[in-house]
Amino acid sequence: MKGDQKYRDEILRLARKAYSANEVPVGAIVVDGDGTIIGRGFNQTHTKKDGLRHAELVAIRMAQRKVGDWRLEKASIYITLEPCLMCLGAIGNARIKNLYYILSDPLFGSVASKLTKAKVRQLFPGLNIEKLSGGTEVGQLMREFFKKLRK
């Protein structure tokens, strides 16, 4: 199930949706243990005027509503960008089993860029983390977004 192209395509579609809304282009999905997408999200912090509307949090909330519980113990989350510390906390607290991300975030990323793997494992011992290949397209989308923002 890991790295399935349909999941990559979906988070990229969501990132493009954020880009079209003049949001930082980040997309996320939550997938249940059977491989069904149960939550989708893209950044909406500016449009909703809510600093908690990161793609990951939107996707987690949708998944929790769908399953009727705050625990997503057999779920995986796929994200275009390495999650920030706030989102890592939400992912860990939701008991998500696997975290897959495509592009590192040296400024705010928390699973490899700012924290060590050992520290993350200490905080959330049941969370498996893997960086996926394919950062070129996500990186290009990010560069285009910030270039457009600076103009």
Side-chain angles (χ1 to χ4, degrees):
M1 186 166 48
K2 168 190 75 66
D4 191 339
Q5 190 61 43
K6 73 177 181 179
Y7 301 148
R8 291 171 191 251
D9 291 346
E10 183 61 11
I11 59 176
L12 283 167
R13 184 188 73 76
L14 291 163
R16 286 188 206 101
K17 192 171 181 177
Y19 179 93
S20 295
N22 293 317
E23 294 280 356
V24 177
V26 179
I29 59 171
V30 176
V31 177
D32 70 13
D34 296 325
T36 303
I37 297 172
I38 57 173
R40 288 176 171 82
F42 60 93
N43 276 6
Q44 301 171 36
T45 57
H46 297 289
T47 53
K48 300 287 186 178
K49 308 284 188 241
D50 183 348
L52 301 177
R53 299 291 289 210
H54 286 202
E56 300 92 318
L57 300 182
V58 173
I60 290 169
R61 283 186 186 122
M62 181 183 286
Q64 289 169 331
R65 282 193 305 270
K66 183 154 187 144
V67 301
D69 195 354
W70 63 272
R71 292 177 198 89
L72 302 169
E73 292 171 335
K74 295 179 183 175
S76 298
I77 189 165
Y78 290 77
I79 316 161
T80 54
L81 186 67
E82 180 183 3
C84 71
L85 191 56
M86 174 179 68
C87 292
L88 174 62
I91 291 163
N93 287 330
R95 311 296 195 267
I96 290 174
K97 183 178 179 181
N98 301 299
L99 186 164
Y100 303 107
Y101 69 98
I102 296 177
L103 187 67
S104 296
D105 182 355
L107 192 56
F108 296 110
S110 65
V111 301
S113 296
K114 295 295 184 189
L115 297 177
T116 64
K117 283 187 177 187
K119 182 54 79 175
V120 175
R121 186 166 287 115
Q122 184 182 15
L123 292 168
F124 303 109
L127 180 61
N128 302 309
I129 300 168
E130 186 172 332
K131 182 177 181 188
L132 302 173
S133 62
T136 306
E137 189 173 358
V138 177
Q140 181 61 35
L141 190 61
M142 287 290 197
R143 282 188 295 280
E144 287 174 18
F145 174 79
F146 286 107
K147 184 179 180 181
K148 182 176 83 169
L149 190 66
R150 285 190 291 272
K151 285 186 178 184

